[in-house]
Amino acid sequence: MKSLLIDTNIIIDLLAKRDEFYSEAAQLFSLADKKEIKLKISSLSFANTNYILTRLKSAKEAREILRKFKVLVDILNLDDRIIELAISDEKFPDFEDGLQYYSAIENPVDIIITRNKKDFKKSKLPVLTAKEFLANK
């Protein structure tokens, strides 16, 4: 079973039903629900999802969505080592991308799934968009 690290945008594409990306995000979560793939996110992505949800919904609704969502993903903790690697590595201009990348490196992840592959252009792991991953599934 492939283990995929997904970024915050993939989660928001699904939850906000963004027309352009919703179908691919929904397919990924459907495969996870069927136990065909394992989705993982960094704890920062989970927190960012909560932050965005609370701007769109009530706190109670946001928590209920997160409870349901948590069933389908493994949340990868950020420890001091991952934070230090992300701070030190200038190839990731966005600190969050660095944290996600090093979460993937430090945990058993096969592929990084992102909307913007250039954020991970120097990755040692395969990086695909959801559409690319699903086309090759």
Side-chain angles (χ1 to χ4, degrees):
M1 177 184 326
K2 292 274 185 200
S3 180
L4 286 63
L5 179 85
I6 56 174
D7 70 12
T8 306
N9 284 328
I10 303 296
I11 302 161
I12 299 304
D13 290 341
L14 178 75
L15 298 176
K17 297 187 178 178
R18 291 186 182 160
D19 291 339
E20 187 177 351
F21 303 104
Y22 174 76
S23 176
E24 288 88 9
Q27 288 177 61
L28 286 176
F29 282 89
S30 176
L31 291 171
D33 189 39
K34 294 175 189 171
K35 308 267 190 265
E36 293 181 32
I37 60 173
K38 186 64 187 166
L39 297 179
K40 298 184 178 201
I41 61 170
S42 72
S43 55
L44 179 63
S45 289
F46 194 74
N48 283 347
T49 301
N50 174 64
Y51 176 78
I52 293 165
L53 278 174
T54 56
R55 300 297 173 263
L56 304 172
K57 311 254 182 205
S58 71
K60 182 178 179 180
E61 289 173 306
R63 283 190 183 100
E64 187 55 34
I65 290 168
L66 289 174
R67 274 189 209 93
K68 290 176 183 175
F69 172 69
K70 189 177 179 307
V71 171
L72 296 175
V73 298
D74 284 345
I75 300 171
L76 305 178
N77 290 323
L78 299 174
D79 60 22
D80 287 342
R81 177 173 155 64
I82 291 171
I83 292 168
E84 186 56 41
L85 287 167
I87 289 172
S88 303
D89 194 338
E90 294 178 12
K91 72 183 173 200
F92 293 103
D94 184 328
F95 179 62
E96 182 180 358
D97 293 336
L99 287 174
Q100 290 182 87
Y101 175 72
Y102 285 108
S103 291
I105 291 293
E106 295 291 314
N107 292 279
V109 173
D110 299 309
I111 303 168
I112 296 173
I113 303 291
T114 184
R115 193 186 311 143
N116 189 356
K117 289 173 39 173
K118 71 180 181 181
D119 292 339
F120 297 95
K121 64 184 171 194
K122 295 188 179 186
S123 172
K124 294 176 186 173
L125 296 169
V127 179
L128 299 171
T129 64
K131 188 176 213 167
E132 289 170 335
F133 174 77
L134 293 164
N136 296 315
K137 176 83 179 92

